[in-house]
Amino acid sequence: MKTLLTGGTVVSMDPTVGDFDRGDVLIEDGVIVAVAERIDASDAEVIDAADRIVMPGFVDNHRHSWQTAFRGVGADWTFPEWALAMHGTVKPHYQPEDVYVGTLLGRLEALHSGVTTMLDWYHVAQTPEHEDAAVAALRDAPGRSVFCLGAGWATPDSVDTAIRRVRSELTDGGLVTMAWGLRGPEDTSIDTLARELKLAAELGLRTSLHTGSDGTQRPVADLNEHGLLRDTTTYVHANGISDEELRMLADTGSSISISPDVELKMGFGWPMTGRALAAGLRPTLSVDDVPSVGGDMFSTLRTAFAVQRGLDGGLNSRDLLAFTTIDAAASCGLDARTGSITPGKDADIILLRADDITVFPVTDPAATVVSHGHPGLVDTVLVAGRVVKRDGALVGVDLPALKTRLTASRDRVAAAAGIRLDRSWRPQPAAK
């Protein structure tokens, strides 16, 4: 089975392949087999990519999609308000159906906006049925996903049982794989982290954890002192950690995931993009959560770019595209399979409209995507060679039915939690 993407402006994100003002990409059995100015493949299905930017799909390595039903309600919230609302107020009332439909709609939204690979950082842990619902949703969405099972169980034994059970069901060969969402050194003991990192290595799992500092804590240095930094761990946010600690992460091959919109709006501090790069790290970018910010990578790119340029004049548009494609793929351990348009890799590719009035005329494709891009440009999406979005619409998805289910989920959870879904709702700590 062959597919030929023909006549597009190819931004491969692979320096050995290069870019093409007019190029073709040949796909066979879901794998990229050739990229050239012109390819003769008379036996292939042809997708006309004229007036399209052809580039690798985005990779988002940190998103909590279970919260999709509460999109936008936290636009004005600080981090403590978000934590109280999502974890303290609504999460206890989530049933498996709520997890399923929120995760499915969240993953479909990401695909719709060109995110072909997404790490779903699951921290709504309640029961095995909740976990299974999240995995089922990721499997039902036709994207490449990493189910990052977050901590939240009562005892070490229950954590181990959950991790081993889900790991037995998710191997590394399919479109849905697994990672482990660890608690950071601020939230658990060094001994617990050491034990869990050992188990993660035993099970072949990459790990991800949230961390940061107000200038008095040294979480990364603490981990380094105990020999717990790994090249298989992604550190989320990391706002406020020292340059010395950033160099520790670089020296051990760790990754850093920056969520610029959430970090700025919720008061985490300046995104660490430029400082991470200066320390020798390749930063990556992520959305985080949609109750607070938009769910597309275009806005994330634009915020990260504008903020860093405002701080020190650094970065360029090609840097930003790398952070959200090949670098983010590497942070998920998937750079051999995705993240660039390279022969031998899976065909995770997006076609963006270059004739749309909001970007026309396209002179510099990379700069256009970063500075002017938006989800409305995403015309076609392929995952492992399969077309999952065509002519601006997701393929084979009953969105009206799913929207009805998501609305019912939101309303049921809100009623159970005793909250009003209007502008006046702001989470309030319980009276002492």
Side-chain angles (χ1 to χ4, degrees):
M1 181 175 170
K2 295 181 180 179
T3 303
L4 181 66
L5 311 179
T6 183
T9 299
V10 178
V11 180
S12 74
M13 299 310 297
D14 181 337
T16 63
V17 172
D19 295 347
F20 298 87
D21 291 335
R22 189 262 176 231
D24 293 351
V25 179
L26 181 62
I27 302 162
E28 186 170 355
D29 295 330
V31 176
I32 300 162
V33 295
V35 187
E37 186 173 334
R38 292 188 184 275
I39 297 173
D40 181 16
S42 58
D43 56 343
E45 175 195 358
V46 174
I47 295 178
D48 184 3
D51 295 321
R52 302 290 185 268
I53 297 170
V54 181
M55 62 171 281
F58 293 118
V59 179
D60 181 345
N61 63 1
H62 161 236
R63 188 183 303 213
H64 309 291
S65 63
W66 64 269
Q67 304 172 28
T68 303
F70 288 88
R71 183 189 309 278
V73 299
D76 299 326
W77 292 347
T78 62
F79 175 72
E81 288 174 320
W82 169 86
L84 177 59
M86 299 313 300
H87 286 281
T89 306
V90 304
K91 183 170 80 173
H93 300 283
Y94 261 65
Q95 300 298 321
E97 161 67 7
D98 306 309
V99 172
Y100 175 85
V101 71
T103 300
L104 179 55
L105 262 291
R107 185 65 189 98
L108 289 173
E109 173 200 8
L111 272 175
H112 179 70
S113 62
V115 177
T116 52
T117 299
M118 189 186 87
L119 182 144
D120 188 45
W121 219 111
Y122 171 93
H123 55 10
V124 62
Q126 308 268 8
T127 68
E129 290 73 25
H130 287 71
E131 298 154 11
D132 292 344
V135 172
L138 295 177
R139 283 176 163 159
D140 288 347
R144 190 180 304 279
S145 301
V146 181
F147 178 60
C148 186
L149 181 52
W153 305 273
T155 66
D157 286 346
S158 62
V159 172
D160 291 3
T161 298
I163 294 294
R164 290 181 184 278
R165 186 185 71 83
V166 176
R167 179 56 168 160
S168 70
E169 298 171 3
L170 290 177
T171 62
D172 293 333
L175 283 180
V176 180
T177 55
M178 184 182 176
W180 188 346
L182 301 175
R183 289 159 290 187
E186 308 93 330
D187 300 317
T188 192
S189 70
I190 289 292
D191 287 345
T192 296
L193 270 171
R195 184 187 62 78
E196 293 183 350
L197 282 166
K198 181 179 179 180
L199 179 57
E202 174 190 325
L203 298 177
L205 293 175
R206 298 185 70 88
T207 55
S208 177
L209 63 85
H210 298 74
T211 193
S213 173
D214 63 3
T216 61
Q217 309 102 334
R218 287 171 54 81
V220 173
D222 290 344
L223 291 172
N224 188 56
E225 181 181 345
H226 290 84
L228 298 179
L229 297 184
R230 300 284 186 272
D231 63 2
T232 52
T233 301
T234 298
Y235 293 82
V236 178
H237 303 310
N239 301 84
I241 69 172
S242 67
D243 291 343
E244 177 191 12
E245 289 178 293
L246 288 171
R247 288 191 292 271
M248 292 174 186
L249 295 180
D251 290 344
T252 52
S254 303
S255 305
I256 183 171
S257 178
I258 295 161
S259 307
D261 291 292
V262 160
E263 291 162 11
L264 289 165
K265 288 179 69 174
M266 289 192 181
F268 288 17
W270 294 112
M272 302 290 281
T273 320
R275 288 182 54 206
L277 198 61
L281 285 160
R282 294 295 299 177
T284 62
L285 302 179
S286 59
V287 165
D288 198 345
D289 74 88
V290 298
S292 304
V293 301
D296 67 277
M297 294 300 287
F298 297 101
S299 57
T300 301
L301 281 165
R302 197 149 42 243
T303 298
F305 194 25
V307 168
Q308 197 58 48
R309 291 297 290 266
L311 287 172
D312 62 13
L315 301 186
N316 59 58
S317 50
R318 180 69 62 152
D319 291 329
L320 272 294
L321 280 192
F323 298 163
T324 54
T325 53
I326 188 62
D327 294 330
S331 76
C332 295
L334 293 171
D335 49 317
R337 298 183 65 182
T338 191
S340 64
I341 300 179
T342 302
K345 290 191 178 184
D346 290 355
D348 295 351
I349 297 173
I350 60 176
L351 277 62
L352 308 179
R353 297 190 64 96
D355 58 354
D356 190 275
I357 195 171
T358 59
V359 295
F360 183 85
V362 174
T363 304
D364 181 331
T368 297
V369 172
V370 173
S371 294
H372 300 82
H374 55 84
L377 302 178
V378 182
D379 177 78
T380 304
V381 177
L382 295 90
V383 177
R386 174 188 174 189
V387 177
V388 301
K389 183 178 182 182
R390 190 190 299 270
D391 298 329
L394 292 169
V395 176
V397 175
D398 187 351
L399 282 178
L402 290 174
K403 288 177 180 178
T404 298
R405 288 174 68 181
L406 188 72
T407 302
S409 167
R410 180 201 62 185
D411 293 348
R412 190 202 66 77
V413 172
I419 58 177
R420 295 178 305 176
L421 291 176
D422 58 31
R423 297 178 189 175
S424 66
W425 178 44
R426 295 186 77 90
Q428 298 294 329
K432 294 183 178 179

